[in-house]
Structures are given as structure tokens and as C-alpha cells.
């Protein structure tokens, strides 16, 4: 795999002592340095309120890399060199003190790319942007990366975007969704637009329906109070699942560049048919896990998790039937589901093609199964095409399903960069193609808002499901009443 070095840069991580920095950002940056992608003068400055100091931050980074980077990719000399890139500042986002010191450390900000990564809560986005502006750290070479949650409804998302836009031009704002940095997600674009065999079939005339599943075995992982304020709809559907839907459903862009791709995704979001209050019961399912067993371990119910209030009405599972009102997808339902404490950790997109119009085979030849294209994001990234074929051997023509399997691990004998590795370097390059634009975020919230509002007005409790199962029985009914079934 060819590694192309990026230009010199400074990366400032606000929230440097947080879980995201420890689990994802520091390991990703180390691996990019190990791959030779970071120039010698590139620097990383951690910023947080904790009085940690440079040595403390470097020790934290060392422990994070030893914990979250595979042993085969740890090189003591390269790790020591990476740690020497790290600096640290104690800084309060809501205080005036310390910001001139940050500007002094970045005194060449007008000549070098400066990336400000806000790995903090959204309530700090506006104050940090204003402080950066006050010390002249918002110029043309300064870029801002923000993590979800990007609001909890349309109104708050719009206000958040306005706060950011008051300081940073949209072209320098990178709203990160790590799902868009996954190798398989980008391969979905290659599959559709670099192969002549798929695009003619990518429409309602040939596709029966589409399923998108993002399943997790984990629970709240100590984030009970945070998660209870959002739930599965806000935490997963409004961003990750709708972004995957857009990549499946969008029209071919004129070219693979930031605005062309995001223009087509926006058209999909604006074409989503609103789910009316009268349709909520038949097209949406909210669930919440009860005590059960996951991976042979007994786990508590959601309401017994630390930080979850007794009167919580938050969902941990969502299933939706989504329809797109345009020529390509008229009559093709998209079934989305996501949840915590499910039987397996799986993220995949399954394209179900129509059945053949007429079978020429005898009744004893075997069941004719519809063709399916499975795009697996995790685990075991790859693409699998399920086809009908003849069962080998004499004694008549018997049919069975077989698969053409493109497993990335088997096909490519190399390590693929993690999503954060790719996306961080894209920010340095100034390539926003895989990041969400402001109008995309607000369009996704606008569609989601009507569902959330109806749920809140109905005040119904989420349907219970046992941890370690595939959600409430009503999620099965959601798809089976249409004569279809979930892909397992």
C-alpha cells in the first residue's frame, strides 16, 4: 500500500484526557506516523482542564498506544519519536486565561496547517471557536473538526452550526462520522461507480429492498447519563445509518470531490418520505434491553445501568421502514435497525434483488433464493454476492445458493488504516469529501425530528427485548408484514 506523506501541520486536541483521544485519536496518529505519513515537524498539542503536564500527557499516550494498538505494530523507537511530537496545555474553554499562550505556541499558524479537534461536548464548540478567533487562530490555514452529537434536535443543531459558522467558514469545518472513513464504505462507491455491471441494476426495477444493520453487543460502557439524553435514534440513526443510506441511494456524482458527492447525498436526505404520526406504529419500532446474556456473560437491564434515571423512556434499539420519493427508488423500502446488547457486533448493508420472473426448473430442483449483495463494514470487512448455482454431482440438476466472497483480509495481505487514521489525514490535506456538510446535518435532523416528536408526544415506553436477542418482536413484524425477513 502506497503511503503519501501529508504537508506539515499542527494538531490541537481539545479534550485530550478523554476516552475518544485515548482509544482512537492517539493510536490513529501513532499508526500514521509509523506508516511514514507524518512529516518530521508535525506536532500534536493536547488541551484539557486537567493539570497533566507534557510528561503526563506523553505517559497517557504511551499507555493508550500499548493498550489499543496491536503488538505487531508497536515499535519502541518509532513510539519514542512519536511521543516527542506531543505537547500539552492546561486550558479552560470558558476562561480567557491561557489562549494567548496557545497562540504563541502556534505562532506560525499563518504558514502551517492548524487542525483543531474538538473532542469535547457540543456545549463547548461555540466558546472554543470564539476563543480561537480572539487570538487569531481561525485563519485560512486553520481547520475545525467536530464530533457528534451535533445537536439533539433540529433547533439545537442549527444553533450549533451557526455558532461554528460565526468563526469558521464552512469549507474549513469537518464534521466527522467515522463510519464514512471505513474501507468498505468507500468501496461501496467503487463497487457502484467503477463497475459497469452494477449501476444498470441499481434501481427499483431490479432491487426489491435494502437492509442496513448496525448492531452492538456492548451496553452503555459507563456513559449512562450521556446516552440517556440521546438514545439510539439520535446517537446512531440520525447520523451513521442515514449516511450509509445516502451512499447506497445517491445518484452518480459528476466526479468524486467534496461538493459533488455531498450534493448527491443531500438530494437523498431531502427525498426521504416523512413518516407521519399515523404511520409511527407500523413503520418504527423503539426497544430497550432487559437483563440477559451477551457473549456468555449476564448483563443488567438498561434501567439498572449506572447513570440511567428511574423514569427513563430512552430507547436502545430502533428499527425503521424508510422510503425514498424519487424515480430510482420508488417502491423500494429501506429497512434500518440498530441497537445495543444484540447477539453480535455487525455493521452491514444488504441489497436484496427481485426474484426471477419465472422459474424454468423442476419443482425438485431446490428453492430459488433471491440474489443478495452483502457489504460488510465490520467485522471481517468485505463484499459478498449470493447467487444460485448448480449443486455439483450427477443425478439431475439441483440448485443451491453459493457466494462470491471478496474478503479484504484474504484478498489484500496488508493492514488497512482505521477510519480515524484516514479521516485525520484527510483534514490535513483539506479534503472534506468524507465529512458531513452543514446542510446535510440539518436535512437529516429535519427528517428525524418528526419521528422523535411523535415518540415524545405519545410518551410510550420502548418495547422490551432480552439482551442477546435481535430486538423486540415488533421489529420482526415490521419487516415480515411486508413478506420479507431480516438478513441474519
Amino acid at each position: 500500500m502506497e503511503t503519501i506523506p501529508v504537508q506539515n501541520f499542527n494538531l490541537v486536541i481539545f479534550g485530550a484526557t478523554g476516552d475518544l483521544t485515548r482509544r482512537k485519536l492517539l493510536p490513529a496518529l501513532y499508526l500514521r506516523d509509523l506508516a511514514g505519513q507524518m512529516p518530521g515537524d508535525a506536532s500534536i498539542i493536547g488541551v484539557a482542564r486537567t493539570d497533566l503536564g507534557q510528561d503526563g500527557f506523553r505517559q497517557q499516550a504511551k499507555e493508550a498506544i500499548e493498550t489499543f494498538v496491536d503488538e505487531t505494530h508497536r515499535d519502541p523507537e518509532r513510539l519514542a519519536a512519536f511521543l516527542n511530537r506531543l505537547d500539552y496545555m492546561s486550558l479552560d474553554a470558558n476562561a480567557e486565561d491561557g489562549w494567548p499562550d496557545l497562540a504563541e505556541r502556534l505562532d506560525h499558524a499563518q504558514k502551517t496547517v492548524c487542525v483543531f479537534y474538538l473532542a469535547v461536548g457540543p456545549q463547548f464548540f461555540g466558546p472554543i471557536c470564539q476563543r480561537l478567533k480572539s487570538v487569531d487562530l481561525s485563519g485560512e490555514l486553520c481547520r475545525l473538526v467536530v464530533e457528534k452529537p451535533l445537536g439533539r434536535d433540529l433547533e439545537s443543531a442549527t444553533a450549533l452550526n451557526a455558532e461554528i459558522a460565526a468563526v469558521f467558514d464552512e469549507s474549513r469545518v469537518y464534521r466527522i462520522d467515522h463510519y464514512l472513513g471505513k474501507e468498505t464504505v468507500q468501496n461501496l462507491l467503487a463497487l457502484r461507480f467503477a463497475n459497469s455491471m452494477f449501476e444498470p441494476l441499481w434501481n427499483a426495477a431490479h432491487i426489491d429492498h435494502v437492509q442496513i444493520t448496525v448492531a452492538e453487543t456492548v451496553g452503555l460502557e459507563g456513559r449512562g447519563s450521556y446516552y440517556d439524553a440521546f438514545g439510539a435514534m439520535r446517537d446512531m440513526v440520525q447520523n451513521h445509518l442515514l449516511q450509509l443510506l445516502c451512499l447506497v441511494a445517491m445518484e452518480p456524482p459528476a466526479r468524486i470531490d467534496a461538493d459533488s458527492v455531498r450534493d448527491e447525498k443531500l438530494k437523498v436526505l431531502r427525498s426521504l418520505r416523512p413518516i407521519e404520526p399515523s404511520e409511527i406504529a407500523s413503520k418504527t419500532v423503539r426497544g430497550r434491553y432487559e437483563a440477559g446474556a451477551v457473549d456468555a456473560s449476564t448483563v443488567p437491564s438498561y434501567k439498572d445501568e449506572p447513570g440511567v434515571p428511574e423514569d427513563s423512556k430512552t430507547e436502545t434499539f430502533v428499527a425503521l421502514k424508510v422510503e425514498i420519493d424519487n424515480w430510482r427508488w420508488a417502491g423500494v423500502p429501506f429497512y434500518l435497525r440498530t441497537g445495543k446488547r444484540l447477539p453480535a457486533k455487525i455493521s452491514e448493508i444488504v441489497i436484496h434483488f427481485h426474484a426471477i420472473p419465472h422459474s424454468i426448473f423442476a419443482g425438485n430442483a431446490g428453492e430459488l433464493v433471491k440474489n443478495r449483495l452483502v457489504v460488510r463494514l465490520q467485522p471481517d470487512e468485505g463484499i459478498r454476492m449470493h447467487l444460485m448455482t448448480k449443486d455439483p454431482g450427477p443425478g439431475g440438476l439441483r440448485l443451491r445458493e453459493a457466494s462470491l466472497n471478496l474478503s479484504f483480509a484474504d484478498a489484500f495481505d496488508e493492514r488497512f488504516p482505521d477510519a480515524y487514521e484516514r479521516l485525520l489525514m484527510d483534514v490535513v490535506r483539506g479534503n472534506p469529501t468524507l465529512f458531513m456538510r452543514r446542510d446535510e446535518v440539518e436535512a437529516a435532523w429535519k427528517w428525524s425530528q418528526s419521528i422523535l416528536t411523535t415518540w415524545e408526544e405519545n410518551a410510550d415506553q420502548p418495547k422490551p427485548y432480552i439482551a442477546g436477542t435481535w430486538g423486540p418482536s415488533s421489529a420482526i413484524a415490521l419487516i415480515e408484514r411486508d413478506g420479507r425477513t431480516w438478513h441474519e
Side-chain angles (χ1 to χ4, degrees):
M1 182 187 298
E2 182 182 5
T3 300
I4 303 174
V6 298
Q7 65 201 94
N8 192 33
F9 67 93
N10 299 301
L11 173 63
V12 180
I13 303 174
F14 292 92
T17 58
D19 195 55
L20 176 66
T21 303
R22 189 172 69 92
R23 286 176 174 268
K24 295 294 183 181
L25 302 184
L26 290 170
L29 290 164
Y30 162 72
L31 287 166
R32 286 299 86 206
D33 196 14
L34 183 68
Q37 196 162 20
M38 292 171 60
D41 293 336
S43 66
I44 300 161
I45 302 175
V47 175
R49 286 180 295 183
T50 307
D51 188 13
L52 189 62
Q54 184 187 74
D55 290 342
F57 184 51
R58 289 180 175 179
Q59 179 61 31
Q60 174 186 291
K62 182 175 184 290
E63 292 171 359
I65 290 162
E66 289 174 346
T67 302
F68 297 108
V69 173
D70 189 272
E71 187 176 2
T72 58
H73 301 300
R74 287 186 236 144
D75 181 302
E77 291 185 11
R78 298 299 296 273
L79 175 56
F82 173 75
L83 295 176
N84 283 334
R85 296 183 184 274
L86 305 185
D87 200 353
Y88 184 82
M89 285 189 65
S90 178
L91 202 60
D92 187 338
N94 291 314
E96 301 290 343
D97 298 340
W99 294 89
D101 295 337
L102 177 62
E104 185 176 346
R105 296 196 193 191
L106 301 172
D107 61 355
H108 50 306
Q110 303 304 321
K111 301 176 183 178
T112 303
V113 168
C114 284
V115 176
F116 300 104
Y117 199 117
L118 307 193
V120 295
Q123 68 271 25
F124 297 111
F125 291 0
I128 289 174
C129 287
Q130 288 297 329
R131 299 288 187 273
L132 291 173
K133 182 180 180 180
S134 71
V135 293
D136 198 26
L137 289 176
S138 59
E140 287 299 315
L141 291 177
C142 296
R143 295 163 189 166
L144 187 76
V145 185
V146 291
E147 278 273 352
K148 70 168 189 174
L150 300 173
R152 70 180 310 276
D153 52 27
L154 177 59
E155 182 181 2
S156 60
T158 303
L160 199 61
N161 281 329
E163 285 186 298
I164 294 170
V167 177
F168 287 90
D169 183 78
E170 178 64 27
S171 63
R172 293 184 282 115
V173 178
Y174 294 75
R175 297 172 187 83
I176 196 166
D177 183 336
H178 69 276
Y179 269 71
L180 298 184
K182 290 182 178 293
E183 192 72 32
T184 323
V185 172
Q186 294 172 75
N187 252 300
L188 181 59
L189 295 177
L191 185 78
R192 286 193 58 188
F193 304 128
N195 296 287
S196 60
M197 64 184 293
F198 285 113
E199 191 56 26
L201 307 179
W202 214 261
N203 53 57
H206 301 281
I207 292 176
D208 178 77
H209 72 283
V210 178
Q211 297 181 22
I212 301 176
T213 296
V214 177
E216 299 178 288
T217 57
V218 298
L220 304 188
E221 298 181 292
R223 302 185 308 150
S225 56
Y226 161 79
Y227 188 87
D228 195 71
F230 290 89
M233 184 70 186
R234 291 181 171 94
D235 189 51
M236 295 295 291
V237 176
Q238 182 273 333
N239 41 70
H240 298 327
L241 271 75
L242 287 186
Q243 284 292 311
L244 296 178
L245 182 149
C246 286
L247 291 174
V248 173
M250 72 182 193
E251 295 296 320
R255 59 190 65 84
I256 296 293
D257 63 35
D259 283 331
S260 296
V261 171
R262 296 190 292 183
D263 285 347
E264 297 303 333
K265 287 161 59 185
L266 180 63
K267 291 177 185 177
V268 174
L269 291 169
R270 289 177 172 171
S271 299
L272 295 178
R273 183 185 301 175
I275 297 180
E276 302 295 339
S278 61
E279 301 174 308
I280 287 291
S282 62
K283 291 186 177 180
T284 77
V285 174
R286 299 172 72 219
R288 182 169 59 208
Y289 63 82
E290 300 290 336
V294 180
D295 294 335
S297 299
T298 301
V299 298
S301 69
Y302 175 78
K303 297 193 77 170
D304 289 332
E305 296 273 18
V308 176
E310 290 184 10
D311 60 349
S312 172
K313 294 180 180 177
T314 300
E315 76 284 348
T316 62
F317 176 96
V318 171
L320 303 173
K321 178 182 177 180
V322 180
E323 294 163 285
I324 302 174
D325 286 335
N326 62 23
W327 277 33
R328 181 184 289 266
W329 297 110
V332 178
F334 285 67
Y335 298 97
L336 315 184
R337 64 173 173 171
T338 184
K340 290 186 174 296
R341 295 298 191 198
L342 299 182
K345 181 178 181 179
I346 292 175
S347 297
E348 66 183 11
I349 302 163
V350 186
I351 313 296
H352 291 253
F353 292 90
H354 283 304
I356 60 170
H358 171 69
S359 174
I360 64 171
F361 302 99
N364 61 358
E367 180 187 2
L368 291 176
V369 180
K370 297 177 183 177
N371 298 142
R372 287 165 293 148
L373 179 66
V374 180
V375 180
R376 175 70 67 89
L377 282 65
Q378 65 178 15
D380 307 323
E381 289 184 288
I383 298 168
R384 186 186 296 263
M385 186 75 197
H386 294 268
L387 304 168
M388 294 305 299
T389 184
K390 177 186 176 296
D391 196 2
L397 196 157
R398 297 180 302 278
L399 301 174
R400 72 173 184 183
E401 188 180 37
S403 62
L404 301 176
N405 183 20
L406 175 58
S407 166
F408 292 170
D410 295 339
F412 307 104
D413 186 21
E414 54 193 277
R415 190 190 76 86
F416 293 106
D418 172 79
Y420 278 97
E421 294 178 56
R422 176 178 289 105
L423 295 173
L424 284 166
M425 295 300 100
D426 276 355
V427 177
V428 175
R429 293 190 187 95
N431 179 9
T433 304
L434 298 176
F435 297 81
M436 292 180 289
R437 205 166 57 190
R438 175 178 181 172
D439 49 8
E440 281 185 80
V441 173
E442 293 178 5
W445 270 121
K446 183 178 180 180
W447 182 82
S448 303
Q449 189 66 57
S450 61
I451 300 171
L452 290 164
T453 299
T454 304
W455 283 348
E456 289 164 4
E457 289 176 349
N458 291 345
D460 294 333
Q461 289 284 350
K463 306 290 185 185
Y465 65 96
I466 303 300
T469 65
W470 282 106
S473 58
S474 49
I476 299 172
L478 172 78
I479 190 169
E480 291 195 347
R481 70 169 60 100
D482 294 338
R484 304 178 175 104
T485 189
W486 289 109
H487 174 81
E488 305 294 0

